[in-house]
Structure formats: structure tokens, C-alpha cells
Amino acid sequence: MKASDTKATLSFSNGGQPVELPIYKGTMGPDVIDIRKLYAQTGMFTYDPGFMSTASCESAITYIDGDKGELLYRGYPIEQLATNCDYLETCYLLLNGDLPNAEQKAKFSDTVTHHTMVNEQMQFFLRGFRRDAHPMAIMTGLVGALSAFYHDSTDINNPAHREISAVRLIAKMPTLVAMAYKYNMGQPYMYPRNDLSYAGNFLHMMFATPCEEYKVSPVLERALDRIFILHADHEQNASTSTVRLCGSSGTNPFAAIAAGVACLWGPAHGGANEAALNMLYDIQKEGGVEKIGEFIKKVKDKNSSVKLMGFGHRVYKNYDPRAKLMQETCNEVLTEMGLEKDPLFALAKQLEKIALEDEYFVSRKLYPNVDFYSGIVQRAIGIPVNLFTGIFALARTVGWIAQLNEMIGDPDYKIGRPRQLFEGSPKRDVKPIASR
Ligand code: SDX
């Protein structure tokens, strides 16, 4: 960042000394006012619950223009990456800052492929769960447990440890998500296969059984790879901020990523894809398209706490570019599966149309986000609803790692430790219990 020649001057109506605050410019997007010295100079904190107006860091990884509905990974538009690249190329880009050439891509893919197995002990860890445990509960446990197997690479301040942990996490997330699914199904785990692509290997570990040869569908393989690309990173969202804050204590990468998995699970964040599909199922059960009006009425009723899941975004005040690409992928997969008449897809498109013409949504700039269509395409691929967020976590792992490494790689980083506006009781003395 570079200091601009403009400054912000904070003046106080109570006669306090005005304070000058430097303003910095980035490559793109809003400038920032550096308030790091504010407390020392004024004895006051800023106040911004939910961080609506707060930049927590400087970053060169992902840029979002919420007004234009634009998303760039290291400067490349998501539309171009989703069309011209695959997920492992995108991982390389996010981690290293530029797209790999053919040799770099081959080496990176080969390295990831040869780290896809997990320690055989992991299967016994799963046995502690009920068979119907939610996959995200299993994933939160498994990812944290990885740190118990890699004592040779848990020093987050060691670049070599960060590099091997990044490869291990990217390589093993698909294996762990597939194991969680097989555990739910009561089916045997399928070992990873080194002759398959990243997405093809995941499909194999999910849907193959020891009883017969499983053929990976190239259309589903490509669709899943694109879904991974669309979810790979997204600036300082809740789970990425969680990973940064967790990692800032110096904890190991596996523990920091496990914190990200736990945060992503929430329905306001990565859990919205599961919630969006369940919302569509409910409307379908109530009677489908003709019940949309009734549902929208509930959403607009402040007392109902019903939200149109998969709609709205803190940053996008225009169409989420990922939602558009996801809708296209939906079309491709449903056509391939002979499900182009899928009633749920028709319902979703009608729901979107009605919402985008309704003043409530228009005035609040609420558009479909990445989670609105992703459930429909994952369901068509055969992925169960409760595994959607696990797939999101699988794909977002590379973004979490890239953001964590960017923070740790900055020699000036400090442990994150926000302050508060205290509104509790003034100091008081403990009374003996007899007189309370
Ligand atoms: C992800 O941050 C990221 O980048 C996240 C993510 C990523 O890739 O990491 O993009 C992934 O999490 C996408 C978002 C998935 N969540 C959902 O789809 C859940 C439904 N959406 C909402 O919960 C909400 O839109 C949020 C949480 C996504 C954003 O909430 P904000 O920015 O805090 O906005 P808000 O709740 O203050 O909403 C502003 C107004 C409110 O109405 P008023 O009080 O002004 O009358 O819009 C309303 C809200 O009630 N509103 C909705 C709504 N979303 C916002 N009303 C109905 N349905 C919705 N979905």
C-alpha cells in the first residue's frame, strides 16, 4: 500500500486535540484510514461490530468489486479462470501469485496427488462418531486431528512447514470429505487413485465401491472442478477472517484451517447452500411455484425471521458472478443427467425472477449469491444435501491457506486482539452468600 498525500483529520466537539490519520491507497478498491495510532493518541477505540467499515489487513490475493459484481483471483476474472483453468491451476495461482506454466502445473499436480492418502489411523477416529453425524461435525474433528499426525510440519513460522502443510491439506480434504460421506453411508472407504484428476479422484472416492469398476463422467468431473474453482477464495469473509485470527496466535496450520471449517458451517455463511436447497424442498413440498408468493411474503415479514437463503451478500450489491457461473454449470449437468426439467431448478429460477422484480429485494440490493444454485447442481451430481458445506470447505481450503500464509509471511504481523465498548457493571464488592 502507499500513503496518499491526503490525510483524515479527526476533530472533537468536546475541545479535544484534533488527530491526523494517514490515508493509504491500494491497487484497486476503497482507500483506508490508518487508525493504528488512534488509541495511543486519543484513548479511544473505533467501534465497528461485524466489521462493516473495517479493513483487517492488506492483501494481494482476491479482489471483489461488490457494485460491479466482479471477482478477481490474483487479478484474473473468475469467469476466465472457471473457463480456461482447472482447480489445481487455481490453487497454484492463489498460493504463488501467478498461474503455473505446463511444467510447474505438472509438478504441483503430481505433488498433490502423492499426498492424497491419510494416515490409516484416521479411520479409527471416525468410529467415535454416530453414523448419522453431520459431515461438518466430522470434518471439524478430522481436520483438527490432522495436526496429530504431522509433528514434522506444524511450525507455522517455518516456510517449509507452511508449504508441505498446504499440499497436505489441499490433497487430503477430498479424501476426508469422501470418508465422512462413506461413514454416513455405512460403505467402505475408497482409497484415492493416482491415475485420476483432483475432481475425478473425489468422485471416485465418493461413489465407487469395491464391488465394481466406477467410471468418472467427464461432464460431472468438469462441473465439480468448476465448483471448486468458484469456491476457492473470497477476500476477508467470516471463515477466512477466522483462519487469520486463529493463525495469528502461531497455532499450527491444521488447527487454523479447522477453525475455518467450523465457521463456514454456519447458515449465514457456507451452510447457506444446504439451507437454500432445504428451502427449495420446503416450497416444493408446500406446492411449488404457486407457493412462491406466500414464501416471499414470509421473507418480507420482519417477525418471521425467514430469509431467502442463497440471496444477499455483505459485499455484492449486484449479481454474485459465481452465481451466474453456477447457474450455467447447473444447466450443463442437468442436461447431461437428462434432468433439464428438474422441478427444483425450475422453482429456483422462478424464485430468483420473482425476487429480482420485488421492491423488497431490489431496494436492499439482494441478489443470488454463490449458494443459491450450488445445491441444485451438487444434488444432480448425487451429493447429499448435508455434504454441500463440506464440499465448500474442501474447495475453500486453498484460499484459507493462501490468506494465512500471506499474513504469517508478513514480518510485521501481530496476534489479532480486538477491544470493546464495555457496558457492564462498574467495580463492586462480593457480598457473603448469606447476604446475597
Ligand atoms: C457466503 O462474505 C463472503 O464473501 C461469504 C461468501 C464466501 O464466498 O466466503 O460469499 C459465502 O457466505 C455467501 C452468503 C451465504 N448466506 C446466505 O445466503 C444466507 C442469506 N443471506 C443473509 O443472511 C445475508 O444476506 C448475509 C448474511 C449474506 C449478508 O448479511 P448482511 O451483509 O449483514 O446484511 P443484512 O443482514 O444487514 O441485510 C440487509 C437487509 C436487512 O433488512 P433490513 O433490516 O434493512 O430491513 O437485507 C435483508 C436484511 O433483513 N436481507 C435479507 C436477506 N439478506 C439480507 N432478507 C431476506 N433474505 C435474505 N437472504
Side-chain angles (χ1 to χ4, degrees):
M1 72 187 146
K2 48 184 187 304
S4 76
D5 45 16
T6 44
K7 291 193 182 334
T9 304
L10 204 53
S11 55
F12 298 92
S13 55
N14 60 4
Q17 274 305 312
V19 172
E20 280 214 338
L21 299 167
I23 291 176
Y24 299 130
K25 274 189 167 325
T27 322
M28 294 182 280
D31 295 350
V32 297
I33 300 172
D34 183 348
I35 56 162
R36 282 176 288 186
K37 293 204 169 44
L38 186 76
Y39 179 53
Q41 290 176 341
T42 68
M44 282 190 272
F45 300 136
T46 57
Y47 181 66
D48 186 17
F51 311 119
M52 311 284 281
S53 302
T54 293
S56 61
C57 62
E58 58 183 312
S59 178
I61 300 173
T62 292
Y63 177 71
I64 303 171
D65 183 324
D67 296 327
K68 284 194 217 152
E70 192 175 65
L71 169 59
L72 311 176
Y73 289 167
R74 299 281 188 182
Y76 294 106
I78 191 71
E79 296 81 358
Q80 294 184 30
L81 292 168
T83 315
N84 305 312
C85 299
D86 67 21
Y87 178 68
L88 285 182
E89 277 177 278
T90 307
C91 289
Y92 186 98
L93 169 68
L94 289 168
L95 291 170
N96 299 299
D98 216 328
L99 285 165
N101 60 33
E103 188 194 336
Q104 289 162 332
K105 178 181 176 181
K107 185 165 178 291
F108 182 70
S109 302
D110 186 62
T111 306
V112 169
T113 297
H114 289 88
H115 281 279
T116 47
M117 279 204 294
V118 294
N119 187 297
E120 275 297 275
Q121 285 302 100
M122 277 304 240
Q123 61 184 300
F124 305 115
F125 190 89
L126 275 134
R127 284 188 189 163
F129 291 102
R130 288 169 34 153
R131 281 282 178 180
D132 62 352
H134 193 288
M136 283 303 278
I138 298 176
M139 286 304 294
T140 307
L142 291 184
V143 177
L146 281 176
S147 46
F149 293 91
Y150 298 109
H151 297 136
D152 65 336
S153 63
T154 52
D155 175 2
I156 201 162
N157 293 303
N158 178 331
H161 288 198
R162 289 204 298 271
E163 191 179 343
I164 183 62
S165 305
V167 167
R168 281 176 168 149
L169 278 158
I170 292 166
K172 296 178 196 312
M173 283 301 272
T175 311
L176 295 176
V177 172
M179 286 175 79
Y181 170 66
K182 287 298 198 187
Y183 187 73
N184 278 168
M185 298 287 284
Q187 284 185 1
Y189 305 125
M190 294 305 289
Y191 285 106
R193 286 258 304 264
N194 294 352
D195 59 335
L196 297 175
S197 73
Y198 189 86
N201 186 33
F202 179 66
L203 285 168
H204 171 262
M205 292 189 289
M206 282 284 293
F207 300 119
T209 68
C211 318
E212 58 190 15
E213 202 46 39
Y214 171 80
K215 196 136 172 35
V216 175
S217 145
V219 173
L220 298 191
E221 182 180 21
R222 180 66 194 132
L224 202 54
D225 191 84
R226 179 184 286 186
I227 288 171
F228 294 161
I229 291 174
L230 296 179
H231 287 89
D233 192 51
H234 213 238
E235 202 212 67
Q236 306 312 317
N237 58 84
S239 54
T240 298
S241 301
T242 301
V243 169
R244 278 180 174 258
L245 192 56
C246 184
S248 73
S249 73
T251 190
N252 69 77
F254 304 102
I257 300 304
V261 174
C263 175
L264 187 76
W265 191 1
H269 191 13
N273 50 23
E274 177 177 356
L277 202 85
N278 288 329
M279 169 191 75
L280 291 170
Y281 275 145
D282 290 347
I283 299 171
Q284 189 74 348
K285 254 193 328 257
E286 295 292 310
V289 174
E290 62 267 21
K291 288 292 178 186
I292 289 179
E294 219 173 285
F295 177 75
I296 294 280
K297 223 185 273 155
K298 266 192 249 167
V299 170
K300 289 156 65 171
D301 168 8
K302 279 288 158 220
N303 308 318
S304 76
S305 77
V306 171
K307 285 199 183 291
L308 178 46
M309 299 311 278
F311 253 68
H313 199 276
R314 174 62 57 78
V315 179
Y316 289 121
K317 301 306 168 193
N318 198 326
Y319 215 101
D320 182 335
R322 301 168 298 176
K324 272 196 194 106
L325 291 159
M326 197 66 82
Q327 197 187 58
E328 278 168 32
T329 307
C330 242
N331 268 319
E332 282 164 27
V333 169
L334 292 172
T335 309
E336 164 70 12
M337 310 288 286
L339 297 169
E340 47 277 56
K341 296 263 178 294
D342 176 36
L344 232 44
F345 189 40
L347 176 64
K349 286 192 283 188
Q350 189 55 17
L351 181 53
E352 174 194 340
K353 183 175 176 303
I354 292 173
L356 293 183
E357 289 161 1
D358 186 303
E359 186 278 334
Y360 174 91
F361 296 90
V362 174
S363 63
R364 291 169 176 80
K365 298 186 177 175
L366 302 176
Y367 291 85
N369 59 50
V370 68
D371 293 312
F372 189 64
Y373 286 105
S374 76
I376 300 169
V377 57
Q378 292 185 68
R379 172 178 158 271
I381 293 173
I383 294 163
V385 181
N386 70 359
L387 203 74
F388 291 172
T389 311
I391 306 268
F392 193 152
L394 180 168
R396 182 54 59 87
T397 292
V398 64
W400 289 330
I401 294 166
Q403 299 273 350
L404 177 62
N405 288 350
E406 181 177 66
M407 176 186 77
I408 300 289
D410 171 0
D412 301 333
Y413 94 88
K414 292 180 176 313
I415 185 167
R417 205 279 187 217
R419 300 302 301 272
Q420 63 182 9
L421 173 67
F422 181 71
E423 294 186 316
S425 163
K427 194 161 82 173
R428 52 182 169 163
D429 298 324
V430 172
K431 290 199 192 73
I433 191 157
S435 56
R436 281 182 223 157

